[in-house]
Amino acid sequence: MDHIDHVLIVDDDREIRELLSSYLKKNGLRVTVAADGRQMRAFLDADRVDLVVLDIMMPGDDGLVLCRELRAGRHKAVPVLMLTARSDETDRIVGLEMGADDYVVKPFAARELLARIKAVLRRTRMLPPNLQVTEVSRLLAFGAWQLDTTTRQLIDEAGTVVPLSGAEYRLLRVLLDHPQRVLSRDQLLNLTQGREADLFDRSIDLLVSRLRQRLKDDAREPAYIKTVRSEGYVFAMPITIAQAREG
């Protein structure tokens, strides 16, 4: 039986919840709605979803707080699409920094949201073709780090797991798949977000900055992700295939 993608809509506006739920269901998605963070948590504890649509402007815990909570917990791999009534670039940057995979600014057409949802789901499942061989080994080792490609976990020398958002994981996978090769911002956008992406150019710089922080890479003299002036970024560390962990 074919998998039906399950979307959780978290928005305090009942009319928006009902309209989006009806439209997305008509277009083949399974949809659950929640009015606030409490309902979102209760549902996620009881069932699994493929994507969360999260409104920023909500009473109580707003969407940014909830996004940060998702990224820090056991649902960190679930992609998040933010809804915001603000058009200010600062709010979009904050959402991306919190780990959101994409955003849609209100007011928006329901078909635009559907297209964004499908694009996020597509690129979340996208694997760079020549990385498929390494999936058997599970662990890619570089410098002081290992990436478990099955659990999508970044692991330091002490065996501590460092959580990655979906966007951070995809960027790291792309960089590990193209070591010692300069990749432009456009190439990184295409490889991590898909060609239908409409994110502003700074989103890649923000994502690189976040990933450097995860890797404890000094932005002034980075050992892992180096900036090539006027060209893009290059992953400079050698990569080896490590033995799979037990269990």
Side-chain angles (χ1 to χ4, degrees):
M1 184 176 179
D2 291 339
H3 174 73
I4 298 176
D5 288 319
H6 188 184
V7 175
L8 174 62
I9 298 172
V10 186
D11 196 309
D12 64 311
D13 189 316
R14 180 179 177 182
E15 184 177 356
I16 288 179
R17 293 197 307 269
E18 292 178 349
L19 287 172
L20 291 181
S21 177
S22 176
Y23 182 80
L24 296 178
K25 285 178 180 177
K26 287 179 181 177
N27 283 274
L29 297 175
R30 179 185 170 198
V31 181
T32 300
V33 297
D36 53 30
R38 181 185 60 80
Q39 291 184 7
M40 179 194 81
R41 296 181 194 101
F43 181 78
L44 288 174
D45 285 342
D47 204 345
R48 67 173 297 277
V49 300
D50 297 288
L51 180 141
V52 176
V53 175
L54 192 56
D55 185 33
I56 286 185
M57 297 294 291
M58 291 191 295
D61 291 338
D62 65 22
L64 295 175
V65 170
L66 295 177
C67 183
R68 183 169 53 199
E69 179 182 311
L70 288 171
R71 287 294 169 250
R74 63 188 181 91
H75 304 291
K76 58 180 174 288
V78 177
V80 174
L81 191 153
M82 304 291 292
L83 300 181
T84 174
R86 304 170 179 172
S87 58
D88 182 42
E89 183 178 288
T90 301
D91 294 296
R92 296 180 305 206
I93 291 173
V94 171
L96 292 169
E97 287 178 337
M98 292 296 180
D101 293 87
D102 202 351
Y103 62 88
V104 176
V105 178
K106 295 179 180 178
F108 55 86
R111 66 178 179 274
E112 178 190 1
L113 179 64
L114 176 64
R116 294 280 188 162
I117 288 172
K118 289 184 175 180
V120 170
L121 289 171
R122 233 182 350 258
R123 64 191 187 235
T124 297
R125 292 162 183 157
M126 179 181 68
L127 285 177
N130 55 332
L131 267 180
Q132 294 174 0
V133 175
T134 67
E135 290 300 318
V136 176
S137 70
R138 293 181 59 208
L139 290 182
L140 300 177
F142 50 96
W145 299 93
Q146 292 183 333
L147 181 69
D148 188 320
T149 60
T150 300
T151 63
R152 297 189 168 202
Q153 292 178 335
L154 181 64
I155 306 154
D156 69 11
E157 286 182 304
T160 304
V161 172
V162 176
L164 295 175
S165 71
E168 290 164 354
Y169 173 78
R170 288 194 301 277
L171 176 60
L172 182 54
R173 284 296 302 269
V174 167
L175 291 170
L176 294 180
D177 194 37
H178 303 86
Q180 320 298 329
R181 174 182 166 187
V182 178
L183 296 172
S184 70
R185 288 171 176 80
D186 284 344
Q187 287 175 314
L188 289 171
L189 273 172
N190 289 337
L191 287 166
T192 61
Q193 310 296 339
R195 294 187 179 276
E196 62 278 273
D198 189 28
L199 298 180
F200 51 99
D201 288 343
R202 283 194 62 198
S203 63
I204 282 295
D205 296 326
L206 288 166
L207 198 53
V208 167
S209 177
R210 276 167 38 196
L211 190 53
R212 279 174 172 161
Q213 291 175 18
R214 299 285 187 265
L215 296 172
K216 300 178 181 177
D217 206 11
D218 186 347
R220 292 168 297 182
E221 295 183 12
Y224 295 95
I225 307 172
K226 294 184 180 292
T227 302
V228 181
R229 187 179 297 275
S230 302
E231 293 190 51
Y233 297 98
V234 59
F235 194 84
M237 188 69 63
I239 301 162
T240 59
I241 297 174
Q243 184 176 357
R245 290 183 299 167
E246 295 296 328

